Amino acid sequence: MSVPPRSAVVGAGRLARALAPALVAAGLGPVRVLSPGGRSARALARGRRGMSASSLTETLPDDVRLVLLAVPDDRIVGTARALATSLVSWRRRVVLHTAGALDVAPLAPLARRGATVGVLHPLHVFGSSGTAAPRGTLCRVEGRAAARLARDLGWVPVVVPRPALYHAAASLASNDVVALLHLAAAALVRAGVPRARADAGVLALAEGALAQARRGGIPAALTGPATRGDARTVGRQMRALRAFPLASAAHGTLSMHLVQLAVSLGRLDPAGRRAVARALAPVARAGT
Ligand SMILES: NC(=O)c1ccc[n+]([C@@H]2O[C@H](COP(=O)([O-])OP(=O)(O)OC[C@H]3O[C@@H](n4cnc5c(N)ncnc54)[C@H](OP(=O)(O)O)[C@@H]3O)[C@@H](O)[C@H]2O)c1
């Protein structure tokens, strides 16, 4: 006879693909995966030890003590409402959502039914491959149960008083980097680099910058014309980017930050700063 599930993951997308096997590996299985129609949950659980699947309309097994919501942020409150009526009692059960920008408020329907609620947001990019977040991953938590689970999964729990700002920072370091890489590859192609080579060229550059930052700290990776005071080169770049308004705005704005950083590190003198600022002036005016 199969062992009833102790944990459940609602949602079968990018995060769930990594989270469900991680729960099993941490001894918190068997895990029931649920998705709206059940199809993606079945695809996730198929052939995996310690995992089963169902649709969201099916009743949650009574043995489930831990429920993780891995659904789009705006769906959490609706999912919580639907779950709240799906069990007779939620006492002695823990429900955590995984949205970095939100507090526990969307889980109020479950809290009112007696569930212990919290937030577990690993600071990691989960893609479609289901690759696990490594040990030592920072993890925003709300509540003791979430902190304990983060540690059980090998992550480092951190309590964050300003979740929306924390999440904006996470997007800057991950989603926005993807946007920059995409813009850079497009500009490289327009500059004459063969399309088939552009992505690899851009990725090699980004990996070089990341490797430098990892070795010596983020400021150690500071290079480029804006930080050297090469104002004419900065001007040439800005003129070349006129045909790419988004890339121009992003590059100009980020260059202004690089200039400030270079000045604060003593790498750029006042004359260099003024010259680069003049070359970036059209962007600075557009941003005010
Ligand atoms: N991806 C990341 O890197 C990452 C990192 C940390 C935290 N998170 C958090 O994890 C949560 C899920 O993100 P994700 O990237 O895994 O999203 P995703 O890949 O888009 O997966 C979303 C899942 O939610 C299901 N779903 C859609 N609408 C629903 C509804 N109305 N009710 C219940 N389930 C619904 C989808 O069902 P179908 O499969 O049927 O479409 C899918 O399985 C978000 O709160 C996000 O902030 C994500």
Side-chain angles (χ1 to χ4, degrees), residues 10-17 19 33-41 44 56 69-76 78-79 97-102 120-128 166-167 174-175:
V10 181
R14 289 167 185 81
L15 177 61
R17 261 173 242 145
L19 207 46
V33 184
L34 301 95
S35 66
R39 219 162 68 105
S40 50
L44 199 168
L56 264 174
L69 303 192
V71 303
D73 298 11
D74 292 347
R75 305 293 173 198
I76 294 170
T79 306
H97 76 63
T98 55
L102 306 180
L120 180 93
H121 177 269
L123 198 58
H124 183 78
V125 178
F126 295 90
S128 44
Y166 154 91
H167 200 246
S174 55
N175 315 136

Side-chain angles (χ1 to χ4, degrees), residues 7-8 29 55 82 113 119 122 130 150 184 189 192 222 244 262 268 273 287:
S7 304
S55 82
R113 300 293 305 273
V119 181
V189 171
L222 206 64
F244 302 86
L268 192 61
R273 181 187 64 75

Side-chain angles (χ1 to χ4, degrees), residues 116-158:
T116 300
V117 296
V119 181
L120 180 93
H121 177 269
L123 198 58
H124 183 78
V125 178
F126 295 90
S128 44
S129 63
T131 313
R135 293 190 74 76
T137 294
L138 270 187
C139 181
R140 187 196 145 220
V141 295
E142 246 187 87
R144 276 197 215 145
R148 206 175 320 118
L149 178 59
R151 281 190 287 269
D152 286 348
L153 294 171
W155 302 338
V156 177
V158 57

